[in-house]
Amino acid sequence: MSQYNILLDEKQLPDAWYNIIPDLKAPMAPPLHPATLKPLSPSDLEALFPMALIEQEASMEPMISIPGEIMDVYRLWRPTPLRRALRLEKALDTPAKIFYKNESVSPSGSHKLNTAVAQAYYNKASGIDELTTETGAGQWGTALSIACSMFDMKCTVYMVRVSYDQKPYRRSFMQTYGGNVIPSPSDTTDFGKSVLAENPDTTGSLGMAISEAIEVAAKSGGRVKYSLGSVLNHVLLHQTIIGEEARLQLDSVGEYPDIVIGCVGGGSNYGGIAFPFAKDKLRDGKDIDFIAVEPTACPTLTRGLYAYDYGDTGKMTPLLKQYTLGHNFVPPGIHAGGLRYHGVAQLIAQLVREGEMRAVAYYQNPCFEAAALFAKCEGIVPAPETSHAIRAAVDEALKCKESGEAKTILFNMSGHGHFDMSAYDAYFSGKLQDFDLDEDKLREAEAAIPKVD
Ligand SMILES: *Cc1c(COP(=O)(O)O)cnc(C)c1O
């Protein structure tokens, strides 16, 4: 076997997801009802999600087996390759070994299809034929459109306005699979109308698009369900297929990571690669440095409050205990649209809070610089979101060069940037802004966070 392209045989495709919840040191804070602010009962979620997903949300099973129908679709692109970035190591002149898990090979171009397929399957199995959702950069809307087409379902996607304008081909991509794409905020929902009345020129945000998609499901009388591409426990669960494969692959070449890196928007691709290794840290005290990377323009983990907050601007979602910039926060229009989210998965928040993981934030220009270097060395043009993980991996490798340590670095290549060339264009023509948020603006947005004891 080549040491640089570490492939798994199709027969070795893991047939179970890893559930980190039973391994947490402290129990998770319960989700709260958006109206009463009291702990939620599972039935409160039934208007939005099928029971199988609600059960996964709070499951205490350590492994959850993957239904055969989902495995059949996974086999269209899984197992994904693990690569050693040898040419990048040479360019950096580092003694570190850099490995990346390449999730960009999925039909949608990112990791998001891992959960989209699972969510479409469980909905279909419960008799649902239509899903609504939001999308930021377009990656999630694409993934869900593909997954719905696989299970013969309809899909309506509310796409954040700034991305809709920046990425016209993303819309065509979704339409190819039958997705119905609407720029958000829109006049198709009461919430969208109310936002437009106040602020007709808004760039939109994931928080707003979520409110619109939820409103459609909530008012459908049970016919339409809602699907979320990140943040929730069941989404991170489905993404652990990434880390489960990576473990087998590293194992096959006698490697184990000292550092595990991923970019964090809602936290799903990072949870996906990190949790199967975090298991060793939580159970056996294994010494692994987990680095969650976010944009300086949306510094949820590094500058947000640890508090209960809504997942959306319209206050329709349950409240989760998390790091948050406030559900009203509208981040600057950076090109890593998938990282423009005010909150983060409760699981990632808790692990950062407890010191099991740490977070760093980067400006977008140094991220694009690292992405361009990566593309020249390894041949793949990364998504702007992924460039954050690459920046951190490069910096850790450069630290190794300083110290002479030969650490093993693993990062998740969450997606490719083939639909983001306008962002690269802005970078190469020097038009990308590096945003600094002043403290007052952040405190202002945080003022909207509800007071919960
Ligand atoms: C959506 C997306 C992200 C951010 O979402 P997470 O849930 O934090 O993973 C990162 N990279 C790519 C390519 C994405 O599409």
Side-chain angles (χ1 to χ4, degrees):
M1 178 184 292
S2 142
Q3 199 188 342
Y4 305 117
N5 195 24
I6 306 157
L7 303 173
L8 271 189
D9 191 272
E10 186 186 309
K11 291 190 209 76
Q12 292 172 279
L13 179 64
D15 60 3
W17 296 297
Y18 165 61
N19 179 20
I20 199 169
I21 297 175
D23 285 318
L24 294 175
K25 300 241 165 96
M28 298 190 82
L32 304 182
H33 192 282
T36 63
L37 304 189
K38 294 273 178 291
L40 202 70
S41 72
S43 63
D44 293 329
L45 292 171
E46 270 178 277
L48 298 182
F49 303 110
M51 215 17 131
L53 293 178
I54 296 171
E55 281 165 10
Q56 287 180 0
E57 202 52 26
S59 172
M60 290 302 274
E61 292 293 318
M63 299 298 293
I64 294 180
S65 67
I66 307 174
E69 292 88 340
I70 296 174
M71 295 285 283
D72 286 344
V73 182
Y74 275 178
R75 285 194 191 92
L76 289 175
W77 76 100
R78 305 210 71 89
T80 64
L82 181 80
R83 289 272 327 175
R84 176 148 173 215
L86 191 68
R87 298 171 64 93
L88 180 63
E89 290 170 19
K90 288 226 171 89
L92 297 172
D93 189 24
T94 175
K97 294 178 193 166
I98 306 174
F99 292 90
Y100 64 94
K101 182 71 169 152
N102 188 2
E103 290 296 302
S104 80
V105 300
S106 90
S108 70
S110 83
H111 66 284
K112 293 216 172 64
L113 199 53
N114 297 326
T115 186
V117 169
Q119 292 191 47
Y121 166 77
Y122 287 116
N123 272 287
K124 184 73 180 187
S126 77
I128 296 296
D129 291 314
E130 184 169 346
L131 294 177
T132 62
T133 196
E134 73 293 328
T135 197
Q139 292 273 19
W140 170 240
T142 306
L144 196 66
S145 297
I146 296 175
C148 283
S149 76
M150 295 286 161
F151 293 104
D152 198 19
M153 301 169 79
K154 276 199 212 160
C155 186
T156 298
V157 181
Y158 286 90
M159 184 170 189
V160 176
R161 161 69 67 183
V162 57
S163 298
Y164 187 90
D165 295 337
Q166 279 174 355
K167 303 182 176 187
Y169 297 134
R170 267 282 164 198
R171 182 184 49 194
S172 323
F173 198 6
M174 290 184 251
Q175 285 170 333
T176 306
Y177 300 101
N180 170 29
V181 189
I182 301 169
S184 168
S186 75
D187 60 8
T188 66
T189 65
D190 292 339
F191 177 75
K193 282 183 208 158
S194 74
V195 173
L196 287 173
E198 241 177 72
N199 187 0
D201 299 322
T202 176
T203 54
S205 69
L206 271 180
M208 292 176 196
I210 293 172
S211 296
E212 290 205 88
I214 287 188
E215 183 182 325
V216 171
K219 290 183 177 166
S220 73
R223 190 181 61 80
V224 179
K225 297 260 166 168
Y226 167 71
S227 184
L228 189 62
S230 186
V231 175
L232 297 178
N233 302 342
H234 68 259
V235 179
L236 275 62
L237 171 78
H238 302 151
Q239 294 296 354
T240 60
I241 186 89
I242 302 171
E244 288 294 329
E245 285 180 10
R247 274 188 78 111
L248 295 174
Q249 286 162 308
L250 283 174
D251 214 36
S252 75
V253 291
E255 295 285 350
Y256 191 86
D258 299 299
I259 305 175
V260 179
I261 296 171
C263 62
V264 172
S268 73
N269 88 85
Y270 188 53
I273 193 152
F275 288 176
F277 295 99
K279 170 169 64 184
D280 295 350
K281 187 168 189 173
L282 294 170
R283 288 184 190 175
D284 308 321
K286 202 93 173 160
D287 182 18
I288 308 171
D289 187 11
F290 289 99
I291 309 176
V293 193
E294 61 184 12
T296 310
C298 192
T300 314
L301 290 167
T302 49
R303 293 176 71 191
L305 273 191
Y306 188 63
Y308 269 109
D309 200 5
Y310 300 96
D312 66 327
T313 314
K315 304 202 267 191
M316 293 175 209
T317 70
L319 292 90
L320 298 175
K321 187 87 178 261
Q322 59 187 309
Y323 283 96
T324 175
L325 298 167
H327 55 272
N328 288 335
F329 180 72
V330 179
I334 56 166
H335 283 274
L339 306 185
R340 292 179 74 239
Y341 183 61
H342 68 273
V344 68
Q346 187 173 0
L347 284 168
I348 299 284
Q350 184 166 337
L351 290 166
V352 169
R353 183 77 178 175
E354 290 173 357
E356 306 290 353
M357 296 180 160
R358 65 188 174 101
V360 296
Y362 282 106
Y363 292 120
Q364 52 182 351
N365 276 298
C367 292
F368 275 96
E369 183 195 347
L373 174 66
F374 181 84
K376 280 187 213 147
C377 295
E378 301 297 321
I380 305 170
V381 177
E385 291 84 358
T386 311
S387 74
H388 290 71
I390 298 175
R391 177 76 254 172
V394 165
D395 283 359
E396 289 303 318
L398 290 175
K399 278 188 212 159
C400 286
K401 182 179 174 179
E402 288 288 307
S403 68
E405 286 171 288
K407 289 188 179 171
T408 298
I409 300 170
L410 171 67
F411 78 85
N412 195 33
M413 170 83 209
S414 58
H416 67 63
H418 297 177
F419 289 87
D420 301 281
M421 296 322 293
S422 64
Y424 278 85
D425 186 46
Y427 169 65
F428 289 125
S429 49
K431 289 190 198 130
L432 273 194
Q433 255 182 286
D434 281 333
F435 294 95
D436 260 316
L437 295 171
D438 65 49
E439 203 61 26
D440 293 353
K441 271 260 149 46
L442 284 183
R443 296 291 91 84
E444 212 174 281
E446 282 171 358
I449 298 172
K451 306 279 172 287
V452 179
D453 317 320

